[in-house]
Amino acid sequence: MEKMRRGEARRIAAMYVLLHLAFWATWLYVGAYTANFILGLGFEKSETGILMAVASLAAATIQNFLASLADRYEKTPLASFLITFALIALVSSCALYFFPQWPRLISGLLFAAVLIVVFMIQPFLPALALRLQAAGLPVHFGLARGLGSGVFAANAFIAGVFLLHNPIRSFALLWTLPLFIFLLISLYFHRVELRLQQVRLQIELADNRPGLASLSTFAHRYPYYMYFLVGTVLLFLAFNLFYSFAIVHIRSVGGDEGMMGLVLALAAGTEAIFMPLYAYLRRRYHLNSVRCLQFAAFGFVLKAGLQAFLNTPAGMTYSQLTQALGYAIYTPAYVDYTGECMASEDQVKGQSLVATAIVISNVLAAFIGGLWLSSYSAQSLRLLAFGLALLGTSIVAYTAPKTAAHPSLAALRFDV
């Protein structure tokens, strides 16, 4: 395979970072303020939960199917999927913003379309990193993801202040700019992937190759990985029971939209600091991805516990610092873990299944949170989240080492 010039390789690595910056700026307005936006359209809390759950479930179903297509048709650039997602979101966003007179149901469906495709982008970002790394390019997922959290933090503060003086529907205009930038960078990576196909030997996939495995075959091949996914669902369910209804939790301790912006900015700011350090700390202290996952799972418990028992504005705010010990480590760790514990032909599907697990947690959080808050207090929901985090940590701590040590893996590895 021809080697790209060093300067060009660095430019590709820099563009991958910019891809994350654009995505996480978009995600702040679409994902973190989902409940705010839907409530602002006139929906009730229970209706908000149902709409969020349906959108998340649709995203989980579609993205698993698309991941199978990506594994089957390896010559198809992953950026093609990103371009399609961005175009759908842009069209829906413009319709949502420029036609405010549409009925509530139509507006809700348009926002659901944006939410679905933005959800589906997430597993394709680490998958793109793995594909570029396999081609010898110096792409660093942890660095890109961490800097993305930095942009998320900056926009969270802006969004909190913005909401105090502007209607929530105007968010549709705010997320359109980073989404358009994301589209332009995806077009760039489409050209990069096409060029890589021209300069490397393509691996043709036969119908019986591991990457084409059905879900049942995949589960048989990696049995403990499926249990690990269950633990991941529980951890992110605990996480999302707070963030899916963050404004409700914050108001329960006397806060407002301004405090919500500060809370989100503080949480994302710790991610921005620690995610880029993840790879360095692994090398410096010779940590494997399993240990990192186990440590991060306990970080989820710590944060859920602080949010459950510190029922003051200060406690709610400063508990966000523990994001560095949980989410900030777990996110790059599960990407490495998936890449290390399964065959390269299965990695897109593996990344997609983790993303699907996270989306399932969004579905459950939307249903449970919406129904729970209609009858019970926000504090009791935070206590429930603490219990779920404990259970998820127990499952991850036990099953993650089992998958990494599975005896069938050695025969399933392929070099790219």
Side-chain angles (χ1 to χ4, degrees), residues 375-390:
S375 303
Y376 304 104
S377 68
Q379 183 185 4
S380 65
L381 184 60
R382 295 194 294 274
L383 288 170
L384 174 64
F386 176 61
L388 292 170
L390 283 172

Side-chain angles (χ1 to χ4, degrees), residues 356-381:
T356 299
I358 295 172
V359 171
I360 289 173
S361 76
N362 289 327
V363 174
L364 295 174
F367 269 126
I368 295 171
L371 294 174
W372 190 283
L373 290 171
S374 296
S375 303
Y376 304 104
S377 68
Q379 183 185 4
S380 65
L381 184 60

Side-chain angles (χ1 to χ4, degrees), residues 319-387:
S319 66
Q320 305 309 309
L321 293 173
T322 58
Q323 188 98 329
L325 305 178
Y327 185 88
I329 296 175
Y330 201 92
T331 301
Y334 81 65
V335 174
D336 286 349
Y337 174 70
T338 301
E340 292 167 6
C341 76
M342 62 182 55
S344 61
E345 304 291 345
D346 287 327
Q347 288 177 7
V348 174
K349 192 175 189 69
Q351 299 290 352
S352 176
L353 285 175
V354 179
T356 299
I358 295 172
V359 171
I360 289 173
S361 76
N362 289 327
V363 174
L364 295 174
F367 269 126
I368 295 171
L371 294 174
W372 190 283
L373 290 171
S374 296
S375 303
Y376 304 104
S377 68
Q379 183 185 4
S380 65
L381 184 60
R382 295 194 294 274
L383 288 170
L384 174 64
F386 176 61

Side-chain angles (χ1 to χ4, degrees), residues 16 56 67 118 128 156 167 222 252 266 277 367 398 413:
Y16 182 75
S56 299
V118 172
L128 178 61
Y222 309 104
S252 74
L266 193 58
L277 293 175
F367 269 126
Y398 176 74
R413 296 191 183 279

